[in-house]
Amino acid sequence: MKQTLNSTSLSSAAAMAVRILFAAVAAFPIVFMMVSSLKPDQQIFGDMSSVAAFLPIGNISLDNYAAVFERVPAARFLINSIGISAVTVVLGIFINSLCAFALSRMEIRGKRVVFTAILATLIVPFQTLALPLVWWVNQLPYFELNGFSLEISKGWLDTYQVQIIPFIANAFSIYLYHQYFESIPKELDEAARIDGAGWFTIYRKVVMPLAGPATATVAILTFLPAWNSYLWPLMVVQSEELRPVMIGIQYFFQLNVSWGEVMAYASLITIPVVVLFIAFQRSFINSIASSGVKG
Amino acid sequence: MNKRFTRILATSVAAAALVGSLGACGKGSASAPSVGSNEITMWTHNAGNAEELKAVENIVDSYNKSAGAKAKIKVQAFPQDSYNDSVVSAAASGKLPCIVDIDGPNVPNWAWAKYLTPLKLDADVSKNLPSTVAKWEGETYAVGTYDVALAMLARASDLKAAGVRVATVEKPWTKDEFQDALTKLKALGKWEYPLDMGTAGTGEWLPYAYSPFLQSFGGDLINRDGFQSADGVLNGDKAIEWAQWFRGLADQGFMAKKSGKDSTQDFLNNKSGLLYTGSWAADKARAAVGKDLVVMPSVDLGTGPKIGGASWQWGVTSGCNNSAAAMDYLSYSLKPENLAAVAKATGTIPATDEAAALLPEYAKGGTNRIFMELSRNYAVMRPETPAYPFIATEYGKAVQDILAGADPKTALDKSVKAIDANIKSNGGYKN
């Protein structure tokens, strides 16, 4: 009995050690980034060949963070990205879930064809669409309230909406919601209809409240590309005050790169992603496990 | 249930309001950057490079306040690495500003693509460093306020310990001397690799840094007579010799096939003894190493030392609706005091002797004077053809393949084939 206990605790300790090892390997880049953000350049490279690279030792300070705010309007970029990502996520959840709801629950002729066509867009890489999309958004009308008069001009370039609206509708989010909605019994809809509920009420009061894990996954999978958006804002935004955080990282790659500042900026823009993941991780994992997809 | 949905909607409204308010306080120039009564926009690659951006903004401010200003100039700065992409997408949507800065070797391509219009300046640029004036098909399309130069940095004490002479502009190292110097430096046992050529570099660094060695051997990126083919120059005997020599530096353990990410920092940390880099690293190295630092010319591999010419330059776009004002500003920016201010802020080589005289480090006898001499004596312009961006990419791939172990002849033949096909498919890049 004692031997069995010993071997059980030994094997669980070994399993734990393996898990810790994997966790450490996954965490090393982030630890390195955060620790390096506190060191001067010379020390970062000096520590590189030893374990000191992962330890906050030596000449530690917040100088790199102070320098980041001098080199880049980091606060402005962060606020821009938070705003752009939040609106994209919230509107994305609403629009994509509505679309998936219609395709999953309503009897519409040709809905399989529509769903297939939506899924087909997943195979087209964004890079191939980027330039034509720039042309299109430049043809769209832009309404601006100037005092009491409404002014109309052409082109959405260099605005916030050009960074948001093209990314609200998302085939993968529709697919994810659709698959999740399919797992919710249709009898619930019928019961609600007997009680006099219309389609939007069923969507709002029956289906969406049960789709929490799918919503959490869609939120994260919409947030990440919105937060990491680089190519698109590069092409459509010219004014510094409208730029998102990812463009900011390029500010540091001058002829003489200051790696401490790069690490400090990278740490700053990683924190919101880590916080979001921690907040949603249970729902995220549940949804991934139940839908069988990975992000 | 209701509460949760209401919360989502409330968050949506709040987020939309946040972006709306951001828009109100930070509305970009949604209309074409060059429109407006008497304002023209100028794009620069200097976002994040506070010193250079400040120097440019100071010139713009002083022009805007000057009595003879023909328009108000508005500066928009972009990060360097993504600048070209921003320009190309702006060109695609017809939103180019009036004035742009351009990396010198790209000027013919942008002129061919009709992004740029020929310059008609009041300023006399005949005495500028030749590498700061970009021409294509007989017309000047861009002018630079500065240039940069490639050189070798070392510690005098290391060279002395190895028994190696300091190379000078008058007497650079020959190929054999370079081999001897590397052998002796390696024998000191201080470094795993005594030479750092920045082999981890990517993009424009590859042709900028390594094609001068090819040219010093007697090869080139393209036959400059008509710029229609690379056959025989990029894959000829001289080019094969260059490739074998370059690969040999790695095979003999003199340099890493892939250097560290920051070669200057590695040199300062004594991880290498000889650094091949640009003039931009000199001030940082001098601050760290002090008087022990020596700046030497590149190696003479047969036809004399060569370095890449041309850095960032200014041009006027063909769609500019006030090109007279744009030209007027460019002429103003080329005044010696303006050239000197930019060079001082950026640690670069001022475009004229007159401007250099205003800077002690670039005046005769100054610590950085050598870079001006290197630029004047050894700079070779990268091929002045619209095909250059393609050639640069192909050459860069060949360099990486050769370092990785590819047969030099095969790698270079492949590049030549691709380059010639590209030129042919673009109708020879005729104007």
Side-chain angles (χ1 to χ4, degrees):
Chain A
M1 182 71 182
K2 195 177 173 186
Q3 200 174 6
T4 313
L5 265 179
N6 276 346
S7 70
T8 308
S9 54
L10 262 178
S11 66
S12 64
M16 182 59 77
V18 170
R19 283 189 204 121
I20 289 171
L21 184 70
F22 279 117
V25 168
F28 272 161
I30 293 175
V31 172
F32 174 78
M33 174 182 77
M34 296 204 165
V35 166
S36 298
S37 72
L38 303 171
K39 297 176 180 177
D41 278 9
Q42 201 141 351
Q43 195 188 330
I44 294 172
F45 283 85
D47 289 350
M48 202 79 94
S49 51
S50 72
V51 75
F54 300 99
L55 300 173
I57 52 176
N59 190 4
I60 296 297
S61 76
L62 293 173
D63 290 355
N64 289 326
Y65 286 88
V68 159
F69 284 92
E70 274 176 31
R71 190 189 287 266
V72 177
R76 177 84 205 182
F77 289 178
L78 278 165
I79 291 169
N80 284 347
S81 274
I82 290 168
I84 290 164
S85 305
V87 176
T88 309
V89 167
V90 172
L91 294 180
I93 287 171
F94 184 61
I95 300 288
N96 295 314
S97 62
L98 268 181
C99 178
F101 177 80
L103 292 170
S104 165
R105 305 306 242 223
M106 298 168 82
E107 290 307 319
I108 308 168
R109 184 179 294 194
K111 71 177 186 179
R112 287 177 68 88
V113 177
V114 172
F115 189 52
T116 307
I118 289 171
L119 289 186
T121 63
L122 280 172
I123 61 173
V124 183
F126 175 71
Q127 286 78 359
T128 60
L129 298 173
L131 261 185
L133 198 55
V134 170
W135 186 86
W136 270 112
V137 295
N138 194 37
Q139 307 305 315
L140 295 170
Y142 181 77
F143 300 94
E144 192 178 12
L145 205 57
N146 192 358
F148 291 104
S149 63
L150 187 67
E151 289 180 358
I152 305 173
S153 58
K154 199 178 95 172
W156 282 13
L157 296 187
D158 214 20
T159 58
Y160 282 114
Q161 73 261 30
V162 76
Q163 300 181 67
I164 297 169
I165 292 173
F167 305 100
I168 292 172
N170 182 290
F172 189 70
S173 299
I174 293 169
Y175 169 74
L176 204 68
Y177 267 123
H178 182 271
Q179 297 307 94
Y180 206 88
F181 290 165
E182 288 291 302
S183 70
I184 298 172
K186 295 215 167 55
E187 288 79 8
L188 294 175
D189 303 12
E190 286 157 17
R193 289 184 79 79
I194 290 166
D195 287 343
W199 282 118
F200 190 68
T201 307
I202 294 170
Y203 161 79
R204 187 166 66 94
K205 293 189 173 176
V206 178
V207 175
M208 280 305 278
L210 293 172
T215 300
T217 306
V218 166
I220 288 184
L221 295 183
T222 309
F223 175 84
L224 286 178
W227 186 262
N228 292 331
S229 180
Y230 175 75
L231 177 70
W232 183 248
L234 192 73
M235 297 170 83
V236 297
V237 176
Q238 285 99 42
S239 300
E240 189 169 63
E241 63 266 26
L242 301 179
R243 288 180 188 153
V245 284
M246 285 304 153
I247 299 291
I249 198 84
Q250 288 292 352
Y251 278 51
F252 299 92
F253 289 95
Q254 304 296 328
L255 287 174
N256 292 311
V257 180
S258 171
W259 290 100
E261 289 176 29
V262 172
M263 295 299 166
Y265 187 75
S267 301
L268 274 178
I269 64 177
T270 303
I271 289 166
V273 182
V274 173
V275 167
L276 191 82
F277 182 77
I278 290 169
F280 282 97
Q281 70 169 325
R282 191 174 294 274
S283 303
F284 184 58
I285 291 164
N286 281 347
S287 175
I288 295 230
S290 59
S291 63
V293 291
K294 62 187 179 73
Chain B
M1 212 158 59
N2 258 337
K3 268 186 188 170
R4 189 182 295 179
F5 194 76
T6 311
R7 217 177 295 154
I8 289 175
L9 276 180
T11 314
S12 175
V13 170
L18 170 67
V19 168
S21 64
L22 284 174
C25 63
K27 171 74 182 68
S29 52
S31 53
S34 296
V35 300
S37 54
N38 200 24
E39 181 178 275
I40 60 176
T41 306
M42 180 170 102
W43 282 9
T44 173
H45 71 286
N46 287 315
N49 184 350
E51 295 81 14
E52 186 167 351
L53 182 57
K54 187 75 196 156
V56 170
E57 285 175 340
N58 284 343
I59 296 172
V60 167
D61 282 348
S62 89
Y63 176 79
N64 287 343
K65 286 174 189 161
S66 69
K70 291 187 176 172
K72 190 179 173 217
I73 313 290
K74 181 187 163 195
V75 179
Q76 283 187 324
F78 296 75
Q80 178 174 333
D81 276 9
S82 52
Y83 177 72
N84 285 357
D85 298 327
S86 298
V87 170
V88 170
S89 55
S93 53
K95 296 277 185 181
L96 278 176
C98 260
I99 305 173
V100 288
D101 68 356
I102 321 144
D103 197 6
N106 291 334
V107 171
N109 185 273
W110 288 18
W112 172 76
K114 310 279 186 216
Y115 295 179
L116 301 176
T117 192
L119 295 182
K120 291 178 177 56
L121 303 178
D122 292 336
D124 174 18
V125 295
S126 62
K127 288 180 184 164
N128 290 35
L129 283 173
S131 55
T132 62
V133 181
K135 293 183 176 175
W136 183 58
E137 306 244 306
E139 302 260 28
T140 299
Y141 280 91
V143 286
T145 57
Y146 60 78
D147 199 2
V148 287
L150 287 161
M152 302 255 186
L153 306 187
R155 289 174 176 82
S157 53
D158 288 335
L159 297 182
K160 193 175 175 188
V164 175
R165 78 172 175 89
V166 175
T168 62
V169 177
E170 295 74 29
K171 202 178 171 199
W173 284 336
T174 61
K175 186 177 155 214
D176 290 342
E177 278 184 298
F178 187 53
Q179 173 75 20
D180 181 57
L182 291 174
T183 307
K184 287 175 174 168
L185 286 168
K186 176 117 180 143
L188 288 179
K190 284 179 73 171
W191 315 280
E192 186 180 2
Y193 301 107
L195 172 66
D196 192 327
M197 293 271 237
T199 44
T202 53
E204 186 55 28
W205 169 252
L206 300 171
Y208 175 69
Y210 307 136
S211 67
F213 292 128
L214 166 71
Q215 287 148 356
S216 186
F217 264 98
D220 207 342
L221 292 169
I222 189 168
N223 184 343
R224 296 191 186 225
D225 182 15
F227 299 102
Q228 293 301 306
S229 173
D231 196 25
V233 288
L234 184 52
N235 59 352
D237 293 346
K238 297 294 181 189
I240 307 291
E241 270 182 55
W242 157 77
Q244 285 166 342
W245 167 83
F246 190 62
R247 173 67 200 269
L249 295 175
D251 288 345
Q252 293 171 86
F254 294 148
M255 73 171 184
K257 283 181 189 168
K258 189 168 185 182
S259 60
K261 189 76 183 157
D262 191 329
S263 294
T264 306
Q265 202 60 57
D266 284 344
F267 173 73
L268 300 183
N269 282 341
N270 238 323
K271 289 185 178 173
S272 64
L274 192 57
L275 173 65
Y276 178 64
T277 186
S279 49
W280 56 84
D283 287 345
K284 186 177 179 182
R286 194 169 286 115
V289 178
K291 287 187 176 171
D292 200 21
L293 184 81
V294 286
V295 180
M296 300 180 291
S298 188
V299 188
D300 177 359
L301 297 165
T303 66
K306 310 284 181 199
I307 58 171
S311 184
W312 286 85
Q313 301 171 343
W314 298 96
V316 175
T317 58
S318 49
C320 177
N321 57 6
N322 194 354
S323 57
M327 305 281 180
D328 187 56
Y329 166 75
L330 286 193
S331 291
Y332 182 90
S333 72
L334 296 172
K335 287 181 176 181
E337 60 271 28
N338 290 334
L339 298 181
V342 176
K344 188 179 172 68
T346 55
T348 50
I349 306 163
T352 64
D353 281 332
E354 219 177 337
L358 300 174
L359 299 169
E361 59 273 32
Y362 284 99
K364 282 185 180 161
T367 48
N368 284 339
R369 180 72 185 184
I370 184 172
F371 292 116
M372 201 156 183
E373 289 168 12
L374 294 177
S375 184
R376 215 173 262 290
N377 292 316
Y378 301 140
V380 176
M381 299 296 279
R382 280 157 278 178
E384 291 139 316
T385 163
Y388 178 75
F390 189 84
I391 294 171
T393 305
E394 288 303 315
Y395 177 74
K397 279 193 250 174
V399 166
Q400 288 174 324
D401 288 350
I402 289 162
L403 275 176
D407 171 58
K409 174 77 177 150
T410 310
L412 292 172
D413 278 346
K414 194 173 145 196
S415 294
V416 167
K417 199 174 165 190
I419 290 167
D420 285 7
N422 176 271
I423 293 171
K424 200 174 170 189
S425 69
N426 281 287
Y429 287 103
K430 301 288 184 194
N431 198 359

